[in-house]
């Protein structure tokens, strides 16, 4: 049996109903709370107003840092840090999708160590410290509430960079299914497929271990049943909660295994074609599983059993378009493989694909036709 190395300090709570629990989770010693959000939808649905009112009633000073964009830029983090320092924040609450949570996480680290994000990104070893941080996801997919990763965009390149330190795991995570029922179907699908990718990739990672496999297979099983239900009946709170739990379990998995070639390849589609992160992963996942099949036949069988079908058939069932819809030419497929090849998550993919293999995986994903359910 491989050695176990498992550490998860985040206190995870499920709760339904209007963010009341969020205020109770903030430690008494924290007096000034900065809420970080990006989602205009969070604002529209009244979540932010309700959270601020709750914090006020509890005697906390509450401020809001709004406008974290999708795929947040490094500069956005620095603006958030300036805001946090100006209001003397000693606690942060991130409320939103993966982008808002990742930005909030990076702000919590950079504000604590009083350094610009670029400095923290370049430091080895990473600086220690983080402001107390509660993550409240309003989508079910990234698992950011239980990972140390903050995926930021370096707009100068452009490229995805990962700000992650030994202290960047959130102190607490609140999973409230009611916050996710307003997601449009497209976002429910994209984020749900992202969660599924995390679980599957975690199982196919050379860094997997029995504890992460146990969490991953349960995440695949939950997502396999709950995602089609949440798409068919958006107000189904049980399905929504199961997707939040699936996403959280899958986040715990990648907090330990990292992602694999599927995520490495996907970044090109997001950076150069504006494809949503989850959709980009979903377009590639079937081909990555096929690549892993000869290396890990038993695990691939377990994944397909838990999901209830092969991966491409599940994507079709969820209405996800194939990679062919991006109309990538030969040169672009090569560029996609070349951009993925140096990434560390390729090294931890079972079978360790070369740049040439990555090109073959991308071509296989392009060639795959939508598959009917068995
Ligand atoms: Fe992801």
């Amino acid at each position: 049996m491989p050695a176990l190395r498992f550490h998860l300090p985040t206190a995870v709570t499920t709760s339904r109903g209007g963010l009341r629990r969020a205020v109770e989770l903030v430690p008494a010693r924290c007096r000034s709370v900065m809420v970080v959000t990006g989602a205009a939808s969070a604002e529209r649905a009244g979540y932010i107003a309700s959270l601020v009112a709750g914090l006020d009633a509890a005697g906390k000073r509450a401020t809001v840092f709004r406008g974290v964009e999708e795929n947040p830029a490094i500069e956005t983090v620095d603006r958030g840090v300036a805001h946090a320092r100006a209001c003397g924040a000693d606690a942060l609450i991130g409320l939103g999708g993966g982008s808002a949570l990742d930005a909030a996480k990076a702000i919590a680290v950079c504000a604590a160590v009083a350094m610009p994000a670029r400095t923290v990104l370049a430091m080895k070893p990473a600086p220690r410290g983080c402001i107390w941080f509660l993550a409240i996801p309003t989508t079910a997919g990234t698992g950011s509430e239980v990972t140390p990763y903050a995926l930021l965009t370096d707009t100068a390149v452009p490229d995805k960079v990962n700000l992650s330190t030994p202290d960047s795991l959130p102190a607490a995570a609140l999973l409230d299914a009611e916050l996710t029922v307003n997601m449009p179907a497209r976002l429910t699908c994209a984020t749900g497929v992202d969660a599924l990718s995390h679980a599957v990739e975690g199982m196919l990672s050379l860094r997997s271990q029995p504890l992460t496999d146990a969490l991953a297979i349960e995440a695949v099983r939950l997502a396999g049943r709950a995602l089609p239900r949440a798409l068919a009946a958006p107000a189904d709170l049980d399905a929504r909660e199961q997707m939040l739990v699936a996403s959280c379990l899958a986040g715990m998995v990648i907090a330990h295994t990292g992602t694999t070639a599927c995520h490495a390849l996907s970044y090109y589609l997001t950076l150069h074609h504006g494809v949503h992160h989850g959709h980009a992963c979903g377009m590639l996942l079937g081909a990555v599983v096929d690549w892993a099949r000869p290396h890990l036949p038993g695990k691939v069988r377990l994944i397909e059993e838990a999901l209830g079908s092969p991966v491409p058939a599940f994507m079709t069932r969820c209405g996800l378009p194939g990679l062919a819809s991006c109309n990538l030419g030969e040169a672009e497929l090569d560029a996609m493989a070349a951009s993925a090849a140096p990434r560390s998550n390729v090294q931890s993919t079972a079978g360790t694909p070369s740049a040439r293999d990555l090109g073959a995986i991308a071509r296989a994903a392009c060639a795959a036709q939508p598959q009917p359910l068995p």
Side-chain angles (χ1 to χ4, degrees), residues 194 198 263 277:
D194 188 27
H198 295 160
H263 267 62
H277 169 67

Side-chain angles (χ1 to χ4, degrees), residues 24 56-57 79 86 164 222 237-238 249 278 285 310 329 340:
E24 297 165 14
D56 281 345
R79 278 202 306 279
S164 172
L222 280 170
L237 277 176
D238 288 332
L249 294 177
L285 188 63

Side-chain angles (χ1 to χ4, degrees), residues 141-143 151 193-195 197-198 201 254 259 263 266-267 277-278 281:
T142 67
L151 262 290
V193 163
D194 188 27
S197 300
H198 295 160
E201 289 179 62
I254 58 165
T259 55
H263 267 62
S266 80
Y267 296 142
H277 169 67
C281 292

Side-chain angles (χ1 to χ4, degrees), residues 9-10 48 130 144 148 155 163 190 229 295 313 317 334 362 371:
T10 309
I48 299 296
C130 186
S144 178
T155 49
L163 193 152
R229 277 174 58 204
H295 304 285
R317 184 175 175 195
D334 287 337
Q371 291 194 10

Side-chain angles (χ1 to χ4, degrees), residues 260-270 280 284 288 333 336-341 343 345-346 357-359 361-362:
T260 66
C262 182
H263 267 62
L265 283 163
S266 80
Y267 296 142
Y268 183 91
L269 299 174
T270 301
L284 292 155
V288 171
L333 288 165
M336 186 170 158
S339 75
R343 294 189 183 275
N345 42 4
V346 170
D357 297 327
L358 292 168
I361 292 170

